[in-house]
Amino acid sequence: MTLQQAMDRADERPRGQLAISTAGLTKRFGDRTVVDSLALAIPSGSVCGFVGPNGAGKTTTIRMLLGLVRPTSGSGTILGGSITQPATYLNKVGALIEAPAFYPQLSGRENLKALARLGRLPLSAVDPVLERSGLLARAGDKYHSYSLGMKQRLGIAAAMLADPRLLILDEPTNGLDPGGIVEMRGLIRSFAGDGITVLVSSHLISEIEQICDYVVMIRAGRLVHQGSVGELRGTQQPDFILAPERDADLPLLTGLLQEAGCMVTQRPAEATVLVEAPGFGAADLNRLAARGGITLRQLAESTRSLERAFFALTGTASADVPAGQEMGAIR
């Protein structure tokens, strides 16, 4: 199945049932509230991105979902089982949290067989998950010889041993090269194509945009947005790209827009400007340019990225998150 086919199937699937549902989910450590009355409603069969700025409570939330941390208060269900009784659903959950731990001197297949024995799972499950993760041809090679991408995929194979209905992945593309990232995207989307709900934690908003069809954003332990990626984009007014017919009119166009209260970013190499214009539509901008005697050769909407929506909803300044550094990792 191709990545696009998996996405199309996910979009067509009914979203009446919830894989994860919480109400008032709260965790305090002493006087510090890390997760504050969190209400999650994650549809079954979705690929859900889970993001938030540093210290938002994302990792603590995941640990509560996995039964590793006991909630201070609140309720919830995961795959129909109560969050207060993790044993009722954990056999249907697979997880890759932080760096997977394997025996370096054992092969990928031997590592998975060891895990299957520990989990009292059939050894016959090993080769199918190796094939699903694209590792069957290298299954006999020792783990220490694997690339970072192969190690990540072996971790996902381990999480799939129990044939889970919910898969929780923490930073699955972290450290991968571009080719490995593309392969990981396709693998994750293929799970959703089979009806598995996938919760993906990532500090890369661009990855969430590429992989996920649903997104949950939190800040200071509180929910600031949850819904489909399309709904999130819909909350943001589009920017506009404008280009004058004569390149020499670019400074004049910039001045007119700024006087009208627009935020303008010049792109001299392209002889265009990117305009944030709250309250303005394309026709308004066209009239504004015409009144200044400027004819436009280009006037197009530019859809804001999820990163822009993230900054707007969480109140995080983009300048606070240098390129390549973590935005959503919480410890």
Side-chain angles (χ1 to χ4, degrees):
M1 179 184 297
T2 67
L3 175 57
Q4 187 59 53
Q5 288 171 334
M7 293 179 72
D8 291 342
R9 285 181 58 179
D11 289 340
E12 294 168 359
R13 199 164 30 245
R15 297 296 175 84
Q17 297 182 335
L18 298 178
I20 299 173
S21 175
T22 68
L25 188 64
T26 300
K27 181 61 185 179
R28 299 186 185 91
F29 293 101
D31 295 333
R32 187 165 63 100
T33 300
V34 179
V35 177
D36 191 356
S37 300
L38 197 59
L40 300 177
I42 299 176
S44 296
S46 64
V47 179
C48 176
F50 192 30
V51 295
N54 289 329
K58 184 181 58 174
T59 296
T60 300
T61 299
I62 288 175
R63 288 173 176 165
M64 285 192 285
L65 298 179
L66 291 173
L68 301 174
V69 172
R70 185 185 297 274
T72 302
S73 60
S75 61
T77 59
I78 290 86
L79 301 177
S82 172
I83 198 171
T84 60
Q85 297 178 302
T88 62
Y89 61 81
L90 282 181
N91 65 329
K92 296 176 283 188
V93 178
L96 174 62
I97 306 299
E98 299 180 347
F102 292 104
Y103 295 104
Q105 297 303 320
L106 295 184
S107 69
R109 180 181 284 113
E110 289 167 340
N111 267 291
L112 292 189
K113 284 184 175 180
L115 290 174
R117 292 188 184 98
L118 286 172
R120 298 182 180 180
L121 299 171
L123 296 183
S124 59
V126 170
D127 274 12
V129 297
L130 283 167
E131 183 175 14
R132 182 67 182 273
S133 60
L135 289 174
L136 192 58
R138 296 287 303 274
D141 295 352
K142 295 187 184 299
Y143 177 75
H144 70 75
S145 70
Y146 283 6
S147 67
L148 179 58
M150 293 171 65
K151 290 176 179 177
Q152 287 287 82
R153 282 186 278 145
L154 187 66
I156 292 179
M160 293 297 295
L161 277 172
D163 192 22
R165 290 169 49 198
L166 171 64
L167 190 59
I168 298 177
L169 305 177
D170 185 22
E171 306 286 354
T173 62
N174 194 29
L176 301 186
D177 60 27
I181 289 174
V182 170
E183 289 177 358
M184 186 62 70
R185 286 177 191 161
L187 180 60
I188 291 172
R189 291 297 327 186
S190 74
F191 294 138
D194 289 344
I196 300 170
T197 305
V198 187
L199 180 63
V200 183
S201 160
S202 178
H203 69 274
L204 297 175
I205 301 297
S206 59
E207 279 307 300
I208 293 298
E209 195 164 11
Q210 292 284 337
I211 296 173
C212 301
D213 49 44
Y214 199 83
V215 64
V216 171
M217 291 184 176
I218 63 173
R219 183 189 185 200
R222 296 182 179 179
L223 183 71
V224 296
H225 177 86
Q226 69 178 331
S228 71
V229 170
E231 289 169 347
L232 179 56
R233 289 198 185 102
T235 66
Q236 304 299 300
Q237 180 173 331
D239 296 335
F240 293 90
I241 297 174
L242 278 70
E245 187 176 41
R246 297 188 328 116
D247 293 353
D249 287 337
L250 191 64
L252 176 58
L253 177 61
T254 299
L256 289 171
L257 293 166
Q258 290 174 335
E259 288 175 9
C262 301
M263 184 175 296
V264 183
T265 303
Q266 288 198 19
R267 298 171 165 182
E270 304 168 13
T272 65
V273 290
L274 179 66
V275 182
E276 293 183 46
F280 285 74
D284 300 313
L285 296 173
N286 191 37
R287 281 191 291 268
L288 181 64
R291 282 198 296 268
I294 299 173
T295 300
L296 298 177
R297 62 175 170 81
Q298 181 181 3
L299 174 53
E301 288 190 1
S302 174
T303 303
R304 290 188 178 185
S305 65
L306 289 194
E307 187 172 85
R308 295 283 295 278
F310 173 87
F311 295 141
L313 289 167
T314 63
T316 305
S318 58
D320 294 340
V321 190
Q325 293 193 10
E326 273 194 353
M327 177 159 59
I330 291 93
R331 295 289 178 259

